[in-house]
Amino acid sequence: MTMGNKIGNKGMYTLLVGLIMLLSLAIGKAQNASIFETLGKIPTQEVSLELDFNALNEFRKKDQTFPALLRYKAENGDSVSWSVKLSVRGRYRRLFCDFPPIKIMFPKKELQARNLANFNDLKWVTHCFEDHDSDEHLLREYLAYGIYREISPYSYRTQLLKVTYINTNKPYQRIMRFAFVVEDDAEISQRLQLKECKDCFVVPLDSLDKKSENEVAVFQYMIGNTDWSITKGQKNVKYFKPLKGGKTIVIPHDFDFSGFVNAGYAVPATGTNIQTVRDRAFMGLKADKTILEATLRLYREKQNGMNQYVNSFPHLNDSVKKELIRYLNSFFSRDAGKLAASQ
């Protein structure tokens, strides 16, 4: 063997070792759980959030953060605490709800220290008013997210929690309610190999993925939601571009104004010519016949799965679940045909 061959073989060996190490690091990083996924593994779903109730009200009209402490019991029984930052979010709900929705931000250095992925920004959906109905409305909206996951892989994951809110100024003042968190936009981007288009307030219609848009539009029609928009600017949808190339994907969020949720404050969008949110108005683009037929066929295939998902949900009583299933089924028995004829 010549000296050149020895050097060449040694160099190749070093290169292969380096590539293997880099690959191992990449795989390890990709396999790190996120804080969103960690919250979903809490056996009891119970957490406590210690915050200043006065700050929560003071910052309704300000984009300002304030500190809080999140505590829970991990899968192994260990007590876990996180020093986090909160901010008030939303449009209608941040101003008019007794307990406005919040955003919760985890420190990235601490996530890294605990071997968690770097996704630190979660939407925390709260009850609105201090009454029983608000818990029910929150749980209905949680179900709406789950139903859309039955329809499309391009959908947000959610985690349901039982939260004790503790006022740091008056520790005896506690509120125990349901909440749910929605995964970070960066996390859904990595999971689905997408890139969020953050400055796409208006997307040229010819750049939209027509299948994705139609699946969203029919879903919003099915649940009786007119509080969203593509054609009049971006409202309650996010736009994502596939990393491998292709047209813009539409992913919906925030369904509290829908007939499916049927919150007391919800009203139809102006110009829809419907009287209540329980009525349906189609807000999507006029679809090609073959695309709409494929979408409706997909929905019919998923109908039983949607009904089973609602019926198996343990936190709503049977009469509410039956009413939700009847509302969904009215889309299939009556309004899907109307939609097909109108297009």
Side-chain angles (χ1 to χ4, degrees), residues 236-271:
N236 289 336
V237 295
K238 293 285 183 75
Y239 298 129
F240 294 84
K241 295 182 178 179
L243 294 181
K244 294 181 179 180
K247 296 198 172 185
T248 302
I249 301 294
V250 185
I251 302 182
H253 60 88
D254 285 12
F255 310 116
D256 61 306
F257 269 69
S258 69
F260 184 84
V261 173
N262 202 24
Y265 56 77
V267 294
T270 56

Side-chain angles (χ1 to χ4, degrees), residues 93 99 125-143 160-163 165 175-180 261 263 265 313 315-317 320 324:
R93 284 189 276 192
F99 202 105
V125 182
T126 60
H127 65 286
C128 183
F129 299 113
E130 301 298 340
D131 57 21
H132 171 74
D133 287 345
S134 285
D135 255 353
E136 182 183 309
H137 296 148
L138 180 142
L139 294 170
R140 285 170 175 245
E141 186 176 12
Y142 173 79
L143 283 176
L160 187 65
L161 299 171
K162 300 173 184 176
V163 188
Y165 300 99
I175 301 172
M176 300 177 66
R177 305 301 288 262
F178 280 106
F180 66 86
V261 173
Y265 56 77
F313 187 64
H315 302 297
L316 288 172
N317 64 47
V320 172
L324 290 174

Side-chain angles (χ1 to χ4, degrees), residues 2-200:
T2 65
M3 182 63 71
N5 286 337
K6 288 182 179 180
I7 293 173
N9 291 339
K10 183 177 180 181
M12 183 62 71
Y13 175 79
T14 303
L15 177 62
L16 287 172
V17 170
L19 287 172
I20 290 170
M21 290 178 67
L22 287 172
L23 182 61
S24 298
L25 287 171
I27 292 172
K29 185 176 181 181
Q31 289 178 341
N32 283 357
S34 65
I35 184 62
F36 169 82
E37 292 167 334
T38 301
L39 292 174
K41 295 177 182 177
I42 299 171
T44 62
Q45 298 179 298
E46 295 175 359
V47 303
S48 66
L49 189 63
E50 301 173 24
L51 67 153
D52 183 345
F53 285 12
N54 290 332
L56 184 69
N57 286 316
E58 180 183 348
F59 296 142
R60 286 175 183 266
K61 297 183 179 180
K62 302 177 184 178
D63 290 326
Q64 188 168 334
T65 63
F66 55 99
L69 185 66
L70 177 68
R71 301 179 190 269
Y72 56 86
K73 292 275 190 182
E75 283 183 283
N76 61 5
D78 289 348
S79 296
V80 179
S81 64
W82 291 90
S83 295
V84 297
K85 295 286 188 182
L86 304 182
S87 64
V88 180
R89 61 170 193 85
R91 295 174 181 171
Y92 175 89
R93 284 189 276 192
R94 75 181 293 152
L95 298 177
F96 296 102
C97 287
D98 294 335
F99 202 105
I102 55 180
K103 181 189 293 184
I104 181 167
M105 290 151 282
F106 293 81
K108 288 188 176 182
K109 287 185 178 179
E110 190 63 24
L111 289 171
Q112 185 177 9
R114 302 190 195 191
N115 201 33
L116 292 173
N118 204 31
F119 308 123
N120 72 318
D121 186 349
L122 299 177
K123 287 171 62 176
W124 187 289
V125 182
T126 60
H127 65 286
C128 183
F129 299 113
E130 301 298 340
D131 57 21
H132 171 74
D133 287 345
S134 285
D135 255 353
E136 182 183 309
H137 296 148
L138 180 142
L139 294 170
R140 285 170 175 245
E141 186 176 12
Y142 173 79
L143 283 176
Y145 275 93
I147 289 170
Y148 192 65
R149 287 196 299 274
E150 293 279 326
I151 297 297
S152 174
Y154 295 113
S155 49
Y156 285 102
R157 295 179 297 170
T158 51
Q159 305 287 6
L160 187 65
L161 299 171
K162 300 173 184 176
V163 188
T164 301
Y165 300 99
I166 303 171
N167 189 351
T168 52
N169 294 323
K170 300 176 181 179
Y172 60 85
Q173 187 176 2
R174 301 181 174 214
I175 301 172
M176 300 177 66
R177 305 301 288 262
F178 280 106
F180 66 86
V181 291
V182 183
E183 72 177 317
D184 190 315
D185 287 332
E187 185 167 0
I188 192 175
S189 295
Q190 177 176 291
R191 179 169 63 86
L192 299 177
Q193 293 297 289
L194 305 170
K195 180 180 180 181
E196 183 187 359
C197 187
K198 294 183 178 181
D199 56 354
C200 293

